[in-house]
Amino acid sequence: MAMHPSRSCFSVLVVVYLLQCKLFFVHCILNPLDFLALQSVRKSLDDMPGSNFFASWDFTSDPCNFAGVYCESDRVIALNLGDPRAGSPGLIGRLDPAIGKLSALTELSVVPGRIMGSLPQSISQLKDLRFLAVSRNFLSGGIPATLGQLRNLKTLDLSYNQLTGDIPRSIGTIPGLSNVILSHNHISGSIPPFLSETLTRLELKHNELSGYILPTSLPPSLQYLSLSWNRLSGPVDLLLSRLDRLNYLDLSMNQLSGCIPSRIFTFPITNLQLQRNSFSGPVQPGGQVTIPTVDLSYNRLSGGISPLFSTVQSLYLNNNRFTGQIPGSFADRLLDASIQILYLQHNYLTGMQINPTVEIPLSSSLCLQYNCMVPPIQTPCPLKAGKEKTRPTGQCNEWRG
């Protein structure tokens, strides 16, 4: 029976590899399949000018001593391509499909550089892979749906590339995922459900994602959620109410609507970014807000400003539809420098009890212009606030009516 051409070719390569060991007196402990895969990887990549990462990749010596290659017994278990030091020029070329032959691999990473082409489908053969990171390169094409076969994967980082298409639903089914970082690509479609109960970080910012986010699509284990600069729409109050372990939340620059749940202000968040959406209705925290930075600007929020926000260090409520008097607790905390930024411009506020002769501490910024009042104290505002100090009376009367 004739031998399959590919098997015949591989057999020849294995013989060449073993002869090479004898000719150069190399102690060849590496599995022949891994050796040949590393050769293919090397042929498809080069150092960019200023990088000498591949200087140690001399195949007449033991590949387990190569830079970025880590072995256990006779198998390659980790491959970190490129000099990891900050500012390193990185590598240029493509990822060869032979990388999928490194069947014992648990970790695969590539430093920032100029890796082009698509992510090889063969990576889905690496059943033990736990860590896959190829960020800040020029990968294009879609995210292979077969990555969902990597059932041991914990971290997936393909950020800052030129990937297109959607996020395969199969990735959301990987049971032990902890970190998914796909930001700064051209990914479209909706966010699939993520079923992992250990998912703590989800970064999808700066893409072209659209549609609703289902209330049960993200697990309550999430601690870091960044979905900004997309085209996501619809309400998220039911979703957010479940994510009570969040310490960072950025949903800014979308088309999200509905109310902001009061419960969110009790979460252990250090930075809350909900600006530039279409959130509406009143905002009523359930207790004193201890989140250091809260940005709700450029929405359609209305009603009075709650005094429970006066404990926030940097508060952006500008460009909304807030009405009524500004609670006196804000003035007190401004004057003792507890508030660093208080932006209330472009609302329908009618007053603030503060002595017009006091001086705001240099470490604090207050902007009140373009409301239904003459600002009781003159303070410098950001350029975006414009030059008009007061909202036209007609607009104020219409809003009151």
Side-chain angles (χ1 to χ4, degrees), residues 53-54 57 66-70 76-84 91 105-111 131 133:
F53 172 75
F54 282 123
W57 281 48
F66 291 179
V69 177
Y70 303 89
V76 177
I77 61 167
L79 184 59
N80 306 134
L81 294 168
D83 186 343
L91 307 175
L105 211 61
T106 63
E107 180 178 323
L108 172 60
S109 67
V110 183
V111 302
F131 184 90

Side-chain angles (χ1 to χ4, degrees), residues 48-245:
M48 286 180 63
S51 172
N52 62 350
F53 172 75
F54 282 123
S56 66
W57 281 48
D58 176 2
F59 284 91
T60 63
S61 62
D62 182 4
C64 291
N65 293 324
F66 291 179
V69 177
Y70 303 89
C71 301
E72 190 173 277
S73 185
D74 66 338
R75 305 305 307 272
V76 177
I77 61 167
L79 184 59
N80 306 134
L81 294 168
D83 186 343
R85 290 176 295 185
S88 168
L91 307 175
I92 188 170
R94 295 172 181 266
L95 293 177
D96 193 280
I99 210 161
K101 300 290 186 182
L102 298 169
S103 58
L105 211 61
T106 63
E107 180 178 323
L108 172 60
S109 67
V110 183
V111 302
R114 296 190 67 83
I115 305 298
M116 300 182 186
S118 59
L119 193 69
Q121 294 266 359
S122 60
I123 287 178
S124 61
Q125 299 168 18
L126 305 174
K127 303 304 183 187
D128 294 327
L129 198 66
R130 295 166 58 88
F131 184 90
L132 174 58
V134 189
S135 65
R136 296 181 185 272
N137 277 279
F138 290 83
L139 291 177
S140 57
I143 301 171
T146 51
L147 289 186
Q149 298 171 20
L150 302 174
R151 307 308 284 177
N152 292 305
L153 196 66
K154 305 295 182 189
T155 294
L156 174 64
D157 184 355
L158 302 176
S159 58
Y160 290 89
N161 280 289
Q162 297 175 359
L163 297 170
T164 54
D166 59 7
I167 301 172
R169 291 181 70 89
S170 59
I171 288 176
T173 69
I174 298 174
L177 266 183
S178 296
N179 304 286
V180 177
I181 307 169
L182 302 176
S183 51
H184 289 268
N185 279 287
H186 305 291
I187 301 169
S188 56
S190 58
I191 297 175
F194 283 88
L195 306 182
S196 170
E197 295 179 358
T198 58
L199 187 66
T200 57
R201 188 180 191 98
L202 181 61
E203 281 195 63
L204 305 177
K205 65 184 178 183
H206 284 267
N207 276 293
E208 297 165 20
L209 296 166
S210 59
Y212 282 34
I213 312 171
L214 297 176
T216 57
S217 62
L218 302 180
S221 55
L222 274 174
Q223 297 175 20
Y224 189 105
L225 179 59
S226 178
L227 305 179
S228 62
W229 290 87
N230 279 288
R231 301 171 189 164
L232 300 167
S233 58
V236 289
D237 53 323
L238 295 178
L239 169 73
L240 293 180
S241 294
R242 296 175 60 249
L243 305 181
D244 58 1
R245 299 181 203 172

